[in-house]
Amino acid sequence: MSVSLPSSLNLDEESKIELTKFIENEQSKARIQQSVHTMTDLCWDKCITKIGNRLDSNEESCLKNCVERFLDTSIFIVSKLQKQGNQF
């Protein structure tokens, strides 16, 4: 995602580049946080059957598998996108 800075900013070119990189990094962090929240919600809804002081072994196993599948899928998608990006 490209960042567009307002033309009203009176910054030299180096400062614009630095600010753009900072904004892109912050946006990337926000996307990662959103992914973590999504994974948490999905795995919670799928695996937790009752609220208590502890997870039972089935819930714990389900959460572990859910998180691992989410991470596997995320890594797979990023890898595919990187390969596609390298083709252009």
Side-chain angles (χ1 to χ4, degrees), residues 20-80:
T20 299
K21 285 181 182 180
F22 174 78
I23 292 170
E24 288 172 348
N25 286 337
E26 291 301 307
Q27 289 173 335
S28 179
K29 288 177 191 178
R31 285 191 299 274
I32 291 169
Q33 285 180 324
Q34 183 59 45
S35 292
V36 169
H37 288 294
T38 299
M39 177 206 50
T40 302
D41 288 343
L42 290 171
C43 292
W44 179 272
D45 292 343
K46 176 180 170 64
C47 298
I48 304 302
T49 58
K50 62 187 180 317
I51 305 296
N53 293 335
R54 317 186 103 206
L55 298 175
D56 67 29
S57 61
N58 290 334
E59 290 171 331
E60 188 174 336
S61 176
C62 180
L63 282 172
K64 180 179 182 281
N65 289 330
C66 183
V67 170
E68 287 175 355
R69 297 302 69 80
F70 181 84
L71 293 174
D72 289 344
T73 302
S74 296
I75 291 168
F76 176 78
I77 290 170
V78 167
S79 174
K80 285 290 189 184

